[in-house]
Amino acid sequence: MGGTVSGPGTVRHRPDYIMINGREGANTLSDSSTAIAAGAGQKVLVRATNTGYQPALVRLGGIAFDVIASDGRPLAAPVTTTSQLVAPGERYDLLLTMPSSGQRTATVDYYDIRRGSILGSVNTSVTVM
């Protein structure tokens, strides 16, 4: 018989880069394709898509948002939260209302579910203009 082809020993994914919209590192904090900027009270739609191998936890700097759709389908009722776990292959539509002022840091943490640790993180800014 051959060797093992699946199981916990095969989960060895160790990414070199953690990205938002194809950007990585410090570039994500201010790049116009990743940073969120809008006026106070404006609504902003964020589509969180996980194309990686590990689950990702999306947080928008403590700003509460409504999860309004999953995998392209509207939810029966929005779910209000400050974080959303996105498994590999999943998509969520997050609708946030910009706070009255300030700048926050949005974070996406990718988890190694086998070890229960964070593989890597990426940040971007959420700025009220």
Side-chain angles (χ1 to χ4, degrees):
M1 268 194 96
T4 301
V5 293
S6 68
T10 63
V11 182
R12 294 186 182 99
H13 178 68
R14 297 289 174 261
D16 293 325
Y17 302 98
I18 305 291
M19 296 192 218
I20 296 178
N21 284 353
R23 305 289 194 264
E24 59 88 23
N27 298 330
T28 60
L29 286 171
S30 60
D31 190 285
S32 63
S33 68
T34 62
I36 299 169
Q42 284 189 304
K43 293 194 179 289
V44 175
L45 179 67
V46 174
R47 174 156 290 158
T49 303
N50 186 349
T51 60
Y53 290 100
Q54 302 295 339
L57 185 66
V58 176
R59 292 174 295 197
L60 301 177
I63 301 171
F65 54 85
D66 292 328
V67 181
I68 61 170
S70 172
D71 291 333
R73 295 188 176 124
L75 297 180
V79 176
T80 303
T81 186
T82 57
S83 64
Q84 178 63 44
L85 186 66
V86 184
E90 284 188 317
R91 301 174 310 266
Y92 287 97
D93 288 352
L94 315 176
L95 186 63
L96 70 118
T97 301
M98 294 297 278
S100 59
S101 64
Q103 183 166 3
R104 313 270 175 86
T105 301
T107 304
V108 180
D109 292 322
Y110 286 89
Y111 285 88
D112 180 335
I113 56 175
R114 190 170 138 243
R115 292 191 170 97
S117 59
I118 296 175
L119 281 171
S121 300
V122 65
N123 301 309
T124 194
S125 59
V126 179
T127 305
V128 179
M129 301 173 18

